[in-house]
């Protein structure tokens, strides 16, 4: 019976009595800000952080990459290949969905045109009555 319960509960059953496994699991909370160089606190390294390059270094590498790319026709061809690859990932609607979506949009547009036209007419009548 306990074996069945362990398999149903998965890895949580093994963690009940083991305090070390719970300490290494991420808590989902953000870590405290990094300590400054002059601070006496020690970074435990419990949560991995990324060292990001400075803005100047990032701009320099961006400029270098732009200069390397060179031929605009190659960049255009690469762009078009990437566009086609992304369009293949799209889940296109079938005919019934397309008719439904189109009719909903048309009804909404007709309603909004009528509503704004009515407001416009009411404002024109109000201005003519007030100043007329």
């Amino acid at each position: 019976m306990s074996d069945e319960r362990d398999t149903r509960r998965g890895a949580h059953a093994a963690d009940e009595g083991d305090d070390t496994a719970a300490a290494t699991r991420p808590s989902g909370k953000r870590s405290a800000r990094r300590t400054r160089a002059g601070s006496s606190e020690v970074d435990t390294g419990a949560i991995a952080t990324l060292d990001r390059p400075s803005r100047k270094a990032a701009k320099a590498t961006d400029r270098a990459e732009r200069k390397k790319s060179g031929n605009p026709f190659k960049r255009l061809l690469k762009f078009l290949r990437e566009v086609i690859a992304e369009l293949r990932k799209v889940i296109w609607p079938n005919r019934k969905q397309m008719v439904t979506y189109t009719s909903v949009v048309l009804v909404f547009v007709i309603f909004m045109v009528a509503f704004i036209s009515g407001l416009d007419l009411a404002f024109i009548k109000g201005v003519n009555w007030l100043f007329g």
Side-chain angles (χ1 to χ4, degrees), residues 26-48:
S27 65
K29 296 179 181 176
R30 291 185 179 217
S31 63
R33 291 188 177 210
R34 284 187 168 191
T35 58
R36 296 183 187 255
S39 177
S40 62
E41 295 180 27
V42 177
D43 185 26
T44 59
I47 296 179

Side-chain angles (χ1 to χ4, degrees), residues 68-95:
K68 284 182 188 177
S69 59
N71 192 349
F73 293 111
K74 286 184 180 179
R75 286 187 288 157
L76 179 65
L77 196 62
K78 180 182 176 189
F79 173 74
L80 292 176
R81 274 194 222 117
E82 290 175 357
V83 167
I84 291 169
E86 288 298 319
L87 286 175
R88 286 185 180 147
K89 296 177 188 177
V90 173
I91 299 172
W92 297 98
N94 59 26
R95 185 178 187 91

Side-chain angles (χ1 to χ4, degrees), residues 9 11 24-25 31 46-48 60 68 72 75-76 88 90 101 110-111 114 116 121 131:
R9 293 175 60 199
T24 58
R25 238 183 289 134
S31 63
I47 296 179
K68 284 182 188 177
R75 286 187 288 157
L76 179 65
R88 286 185 180 147
V90 173
Y101 298 156
I110 290 169
F111 171 76
I116 292 173
L121 186 64
F131 297 112

